[in-house]
Amino acid sequence: MIGSESVAPQLKLIALDADDLAVISTHVQDARVQTADIIWRQGEKRLVVGMSRLDWEQTLAGETAPRRLIAALRFDRVLACKARNIDVEAPEAALELVGIEFHPGDAPSGSALLMFSQGGALRLDVECLECELTDLGTDDLGTGDIGEGAA
């Protein structure tokens, strides 16, 4: 039935310490990321990662069909961004985000480590931890059955 599908409230989380970042890490576990959607704006001291993340709230609520949401993960006050085992020259390369950790340095600075499957990683050296996860909507591409909606 059209219009019967419930729409999840859009999630917006902010992390200012390691505990907050652990919550965001849980929400982005198993998120799909394309290399082209990792945007490092050195002049703005900002890294933005576009992703398709699992809607863990829906899954934990007992919904049977997993749903993905398009989301943006943003880090501000980033002094340096270093990649390991991520081919930035392959914009279509698919990555799977495993989790995010914060390793404190001289307070309030430190490093945020984004870990991907297959040994890929991004290390962000930050003045202080300032991270935001924002849902942008449902990922309607590639999540339905083949032929769904065909007339």
Side-chain angles (χ1 to χ4, degrees), residues 5-74:
E5 190 175 328
S6 64
V7 177
Q10 291 193 343
L11 186 69
K12 184 172 186 175
L13 298 173
I14 296 173
L16 300 175
D17 62 29
D19 290 338
D20 295 343
L21 192 61
V23 172
I24 288 178
S25 178
T26 300
H27 286 280
V28 300
Q29 181 180 342
D30 299 328
R32 296 176 187 152
V33 176
Q34 283 193 307
T35 306
D37 293 329
I38 300 172
I39 302 161
W40 166 228
R41 303 239 183 217
Q42 188 170 7
E44 297 174 23
K45 296 183 178 179
R46 175 175 291 156
L47 179 88
V48 178
V49 180
M51 62 182 60
S52 171
R53 73 172 192 88
L54 281 170
D55 184 354
W56 289 107
E57 298 79 24
Q58 179 198 29
T59 302
L60 294 173
E63 297 285 335
T64 55
R67 177 174 59 191
R68 288 196 165 268
L69 301 169
I70 300 297
L73 180 67
R74 187 185 83 225

Side-chain angles (χ1 to χ4, degrees), residues 82-94:
K82 296 186 175 126
R84 182 188 72 207
N85 294 335
I86 296 175
D87 186 357
V88 294
E89 300 299 319
E92 298 302 315

Side-chain angles (χ1 to χ4, degrees), residues 56-131:
W56 289 107
E57 298 79 24
Q58 179 198 29
T59 302
L60 294 173
E63 297 285 335
T64 55
R67 177 174 59 191
R68 288 196 165 268
L69 301 169
I70 300 297
L73 180 67
R74 187 185 83 225
F75 287 87
D76 288 318
R77 300 177 180 257
V78 180
L79 301 172
C81 176
K82 296 186 175 126
R84 182 188 72 207
N85 294 335
I86 296 175
D87 186 357
V88 294
E89 300 299 319
E92 298 302 315
L95 304 169
E96 186 172 301
L97 186 57
V98 175
I100 309 170
E101 295 177 349
F102 182 70
H103 299 277
D106 293 332
S109 69
S111 295
L113 184 64
L114 285 77
M115 298 164 292
F116 297 91
S117 60
Q118 311 300 318
L122 289 175
R123 189 184 87 203
L124 312 178
D125 295 330
V126 296
E127 294 174 19
C128 62
L129 184 58
E130 200 171 295
C131 174

